[in-house]
Amino acid sequence: KLTSIIDTITDGRTKKKYWQTYHCNNIILQENNTFSGSLCRKRWCAECCRIKTAELTNGYKKPLLDIAQNGGLYFVTLTRPNVKGRELKSEIKKMIKGFQNIKDNLRKNYKIKLNGIRKIEVTYNEIENTFHPHFHFIQSDYKSAHALQSLWLKQFNNANIKGQDIREIDTTNENSFIELFKYATKETTKEGKQYSGEVLHTIYSSIE
């Protein structure tokens, strides 16, 4: 994956970031029973993403399960129409700014303080050569989840109701629940084919 990305890049500074990941944690130091290494902490690093996922799971799992006992947890997906690669970075900025406006609106006018997790993900449409940035949320009650969706559609009038989704999380399914904390974005098509180095770099440079 990394070499396919590096081969598409001409800028030396950018290339260096991916080489840092290539050598991530390549030296492990041991002192008695303690092991330590040097992590690159890049979003595209499989090693660092596994560690980040574990940190998120350990940090959020119990508090969220406690909340779920008092009214459930909801998985919210908010989307906008696909964009070309050159538009992806600015599109993500618009989405983040739009969410901040919605968050402030909910607090000031609806007396709703969002309680949950937000994650951004980007998928790629190989046929149309377009990118699909979208938000995933874990929210603590249906009222705030529905209000979030409603204001998203008002904020972005080109967002289609069919592209949005709210569903209750099955907290009794351990594997399904942990899946929600995965930190990395998707890197393959639905058929399991890995995105090209150029596509991966477009995604990662836009969300970095």
Side-chain angles (χ1 to χ4, degrees):
K1 179 184 80 172
L2 287 168
T3 53
S4 75
I5 296 172
I6 290 168
D7 286 344
T8 68
I9 298 169
T10 56
D11 177 59
R13 285 205 314 174
T14 305
K15 197 182 287 256
K16 187 178 179 181
K17 293 179 183 179
Y18 290 108
W19 277 121
Q20 287 172 348
T21 298
Y22 187 87
H23 296 292
C24 178
N25 222 20
N26 63 339
I27 297 175
I28 307 293
L29 302 178
Q30 180 181 3
E31 186 175 346
N32 298 321
N33 291 325
T34 302
F35 295 84
S36 61
S38 179
L39 299 172
C40 71
R41 302 195 181 277
K42 304 296 185 187
R43 192 184 183 104
W44 51 79
C45 177
E47 178 80 4
C48 291
C49 282
R50 279 194 291 268
I51 293 169
K52 188 68 176 179
T53 296
E55 289 174 349
L56 290 172
T57 304
N58 290 336
Y60 285 105
K61 183 181 174 186
K62 188 179 183 303
L64 285 171
L65 286 174
D66 290 342
I67 291 170
Q69 292 177 352
N70 298 319
L73 285 175
Y74 294 87
F75 191 62
V76 184
T77 300
L78 299 179
T79 72
R80 293 245 291 158
N82 288 19
V83 295
K84 292 293 185 181
R86 64 181 180 276
E87 303 168 319
L88 183 57
K89 191 170 186 176
S90 62
E91 179 70 10
I92 290 172
K93 286 182 178 179
K94 288 177 190 173
M95 290 171 64
I96 292 172
K97 184 177 180 180
F99 169 72
Q100 294 296 344
N101 291 338
I102 291 168
K103 186 179 173 184
D104 292 342
N105 191 355
L106 286 171
R107 179 173 50 82
K108 293 175 183 177
N109 300 317
Y110 294 81
K111 309 305 178 188
I112 294 175
K113 186 177 180 181
L114 292 180
N115 185 19
I117 298 172
R118 184 192 77 190
K119 173 188 172 185
I120 191 162
E121 189 170 85
V122 180
T123 53
Y124 174 68
N125 186 317
E126 192 174 22
I127 297 172
E128 297 180 1
N129 189 28
T130 57
F131 294 81
H132 181 58
H134 51 282
F135 281 138
H136 291 310
F137 298 86
I138 302 175
Q139 287 303 309
S140 58
D141 66 272
Y142 183 78
K143 180 183 177 183
S144 63
H146 188 268
L148 179 57
Q149 182 193 72
S150 177
L151 290 179
W152 180 265
L153 290 168
K154 289 181 180 178
Q155 178 84 25
F156 299 110
N157 55 20
N158 63 343
N160 192 319
I161 183 63
K162 293 180 180 179
Q164 324 309 317
D165 188 60
I166 300 175
R167 63 185 65 190
E168 190 167 7
I169 296 170
D170 179 8
T171 54
T172 62
N173 185 333
E174 180 85 3
N175 292 331
S176 176
F177 189 63
I178 291 175
E179 186 78 14
L180 299 172
F181 297 101
K182 284 202 171 175
Y183 187 66
T185 195
K186 287 187 176 71
E187 298 173 341
T188 60
T189 64
K190 291 180 180 179
E191 294 74 29
K193 179 183 174 183
Q194 183 174 290
Y195 297 154
S196 70
E198 185 178 1
V199 167
L200 288 170
H201 177 58
T202 299
I203 292 173
Y204 286 130
S205 62
S206 297
I207 63 178
E208 187 182 8

